[in-house]
Amino acid sequence: LSPVRPEGRVTTVYKSEEGRLVTDVDLNFDGDKMLFSMPGSHQNWHVFELGTDGRGFRQLTPDDQPDVHYYDACYLPNGRIALISTAPLQGVPCNAGVIVGMMYTMAADGSDIRQICFEQDHNYCPTVMNDGRIMYLRWDYTDTPHVWNRMLFGTNPDGTGQAEVYG
């Protein structure tokens, strides 16, 4: 939308091929690039980057792992990117057919992917807090079988200092 006013003009920046869903959009701190998730190679979810001017489209996550999904990425203040991946190939205790997504970080070019959370269950929706830590949702079981909560957790970008924020 430019200018950012009611009379501004809306311009399409990117339209996916074959109507693939584009989701989990995150704008970088300078406002000139964005990350998003979309099905890519092997019909798995991958993280892509695109300039807000519509140029520089590229897939950041590796496509040599046909059973692994990558999604829900966000830019970090240290230049890295946080994202969720199913690389551990673990299932939840109550349903082994549901593959768990864990939080990872990677370099801005998609290299140096490192797992930073090691939960029993899913991580979701990482976002950067004002102090530079990553806040995320975590699926966590309570003391009763098959009862679970989504709780807000926070961690440093290197995975240290993990603690509940709310829930």
Side-chain angles (χ1 to χ4, degrees):
L1 177 64
S2 182
V4 182
R5 291 194 293 243
E7 66 275 5
R9 183 172 168 225
V10 175
T11 304
T12 299
V13 176
Y14 177 75
K15 184 176 180 181
S16 69
E17 299 171 8
E18 304 167 7
R20 293 181 289 171
L21 177 64
V22 172
T23 188
D24 307 328
V25 178
D26 187 71
L27 191 62
N28 80 339
F29 297 100
D30 294 329
D32 59 354
K33 295 184 289 187
M34 65 183 91
L35 298 170
F36 59 90
S37 304
M38 179 176 72
S41 59
H42 311 289
Q43 294 303 306
N44 287 353
W45 288 95
H46 284 280
V47 174
F48 296 84
E49 186 175 58
L50 178 70
T52 53
D53 60 2
R55 293 187 286 215
F57 173 79
R58 63 187 181 139
Q59 180 177 313
L60 293 178
T61 49
D63 60 2
D64 61 348
Q65 302 164 16
D67 297 324
V68 176
H69 296 272
Y70 299 93
Y71 52 95
D72 220 357
C74 69
Y75 291 102
L76 299 176
N78 65 3
R80 292 182 64 83
I81 294 169
L83 69 158
I84 306 299
S85 175
T86 61
L89 296 175
Q90 72 188 49
V92 294
C94 65
N95 184 348
V98 176
I99 303 297
V100 171
M102 286 290 135
M103 189 158 33
Y104 287 70
T105 65
M106 67 180 175
D109 65 0
S111 66
D112 192 32
I113 298 175
R114 297 178 180 193
Q115 187 172 354
I116 63 167
C117 287
F118 299 85
E119 264 79 71
Q120 169 181 314
D121 302 304
H122 307 279
N123 298 148
Y124 298 101
C125 306
T127 190
V128 178
M129 295 192 289
N130 289 339
D131 64 3
R133 291 183 303 142
I134 305 167
M135 182 172 61
Y136 63 99
L137 284 171
R138 183 170 122 187
W139 172 344
D140 204 86
Y141 282 91
T142 60
D143 293 333
T144 309
H146 301 290
V147 177
W148 57 274
N149 298 303
R150 286 190 179 156
M151 300 175 7
L152 279 175
F153 273 76
T155 187
N156 294 319
D158 64 359
T160 62
Q162 184 183 59
E164 182 179 359
V165 174
Y166 179 84

